[in-house]
Amino acid sequence: MLYLPQNLPEPAAPDYTERLLEAALPVLEASRGRAFLLFTSHRALKFAADWLPGRIAYPLLVQGTAPRAELLDRFRQIGNAVLLGTGSFWEGVDVRGEALSCVIIDKLPFASPDDPVLQARAAAMQEAGRNPFMDYQLPTAVIALKQGVGRLIRDEQDRGVLMLCDPRLRSKGYGKIFLASLPAMPRTRALVDVQQFFAQDGMQAPSSACTVSS
């Protein structure tokens, strides 16, 4: 299931990371941990690592506190952990089964405008009469998002919830391009649908009945 939470501010808002973490708390409770939180910046990762302790009842694993392979082994062994990652955790990570049942992504993974590689490519494309955003930045971000989403479903038996927090998926025209690139799955903007989804796996009693909304 794809969950697009409501009422989050634009990503440039100073309280954006705190607001998305507040929206993620009931999802993590419904999933009973078993989640990756993937961030597009180390700053947001550090904020989450400082903010979440005491607010969730599940073991917290944070990128940078141990080698990646060790963190992944601990995540699999614990069974209900929440792992915070950025960069290398968006791709090449394989956790099959119920240990990973939820992936939460903070923002659309556009490259930083301060990235010198991006600036050089954009300048060259502009000189050639091309649109750097549509021809390079957007396609690159779509591929990166698909890689992050791919952490959730690793084989046909896997099931879980993908929470994409960035409101630009709904507010910007290019959001449709991102959504069209994702595997077919039910979509909802209602938290109760997420709670019901996880209730069906026997891990948690349902809070109320609901119908998946588009």
Side-chain angles (χ1 to χ4, degrees), residues 17-197:
T17 300
E18 183 173 10
R19 292 279 298 277
L20 80 85
L21 290 172
E22 289 172 347
L25 287 180
V27 176
L28 294 173
E29 184 62 30
S31 69
R32 296 177 63 90
R34 305 185 295 164
F36 278 6
L37 271 70
L38 300 180
F39 297 91
T40 55
S41 72
H42 288 280
R43 180 178 180 180
L45 173 73
K46 185 180 185 305
F47 182 93
D50 293 338
W51 191 88
L52 283 170
R55 291 182 168 92
I56 60 172
Y58 307 104
L60 191 64
L61 304 175
V62 182
Q63 178 181 338
T65 60
R68 185 175 79 159
E70 180 181 331
L71 288 174
L72 290 172
D73 285 342
R74 290 168 60 188
F75 183 87
R76 295 184 187 100
Q77 293 168 5
I78 292 170
N80 68 341
V82 174
L83 187 147
L84 310 184
T86 187
S88 62
F89 280 89
W90 281 68
E91 56 184 304
V93 174
D94 189 358
V95 179
R96 299 174 185 268
E98 291 186 356
L100 179 57
S101 295
C102 182
V103 168
I104 300 172
I105 293 178
D106 72 332
K107 297 179 183 179
L108 296 175
F110 287 111
S112 169
D114 298 327
D115 182 348
V117 174
L118 172 62
Q119 291 176 344
R121 284 182 178 268
M125 295 180 78
Q126 285 177 328
E127 289 179 6
R130 299 175 63 189
N131 183 322
F133 180 78
M134 294 302 297
D135 294 344
Y136 177 67
Q137 292 171 266
L138 180 59
T140 301
V142 167
I143 292 172
L145 180 65
K146 290 172 67 175
Q147 290 172 333
V149 169
R151 300 317 96 214
L152 179 61
I153 304 299
R154 305 307 300 159
D155 63 44
E156 60 186 18
Q157 301 301 320
D158 282 353
R159 67 191 299 272
V161 167
L162 168 66
M163 179 178 175
L164 299 182
C165 301
D166 198 321
R168 292 176 293 181
L169 286 163
R170 303 276 298 187
S171 65
K172 302 295 185 182
Y174 58 73
K176 296 179 181 178
I177 298 175
F178 283 100
L179 293 174
S181 75
L182 302 179
M185 67 184 87
R187 297 178 185 176
T188 186
R189 304 206 73 199
L191 173 62
V192 68
D193 292 343
V194 175
Q195 294 167 329
Q196 182 66 20
F197 179 93

